[in-house]
Amino acid sequence: MSLILVQLAEFLAVDLDELVLGKEKDLHQSAKTLMNRWQFVARYWWLLFAIGGWLTWFIPRIVHAFH
């Protein structure tokens, strides 16, 4: 039974205490989540160039269509 709970906690990416006892995340966990967001930005920063390039192509065409 305990192995199933541990596997379920790992699958849901929560602490075992949070899964079993229903304890909310503490401040340390919030800082960990914030760090994960920064890691996401650090990993996918290049998407800003792709989105920016697409917007510089798309916005003038929309403006031109309504003039």
Side-chain angles (χ1 to χ4, degrees), residues 30-59:
S30 296
K32 189 176 180 182
T33 302
L34 181 62
M35 183 58 117
N36 287 338
R37 289 181 189 136
W38 281 113
Q39 288 173 347
F40 176 82
V41 171
R43 182 174 291 172
Y44 297 109
W45 60 269
W46 54 270
L47 281 175
L48 293 174
F49 292 107
I51 293 169
W54 182 80
L55 286 174
T56 58
W57 171 83
F58 183 72
I59 291 174

Side-chain angles (χ1 to χ4, degrees), residues 9-30:
E10 288 176 359
F11 178 76
L12 297 174
V14 297
D15 293 331
L16 192 57
D17 289 338
E18 188 176 349
L19 180 67
V20 175
L21 302 175
K23 290 183 178 179
E24 293 184 20
K25 295 179 181 178
D26 58 355
L27 184 59
H28 178 67
Q29 185 66 22
S30 296

Side-chain angles (χ1 to χ4, degrees), residues 1-13 16 19:
M1 176 78 169
S2 63
L3 181 61
I4 294 172
L5 289 175
V6 170
Q7 290 174 340
L8 183 60
E10 288 176 359
F11 178 76
L12 297 174
L16 192 57
L19 180 67

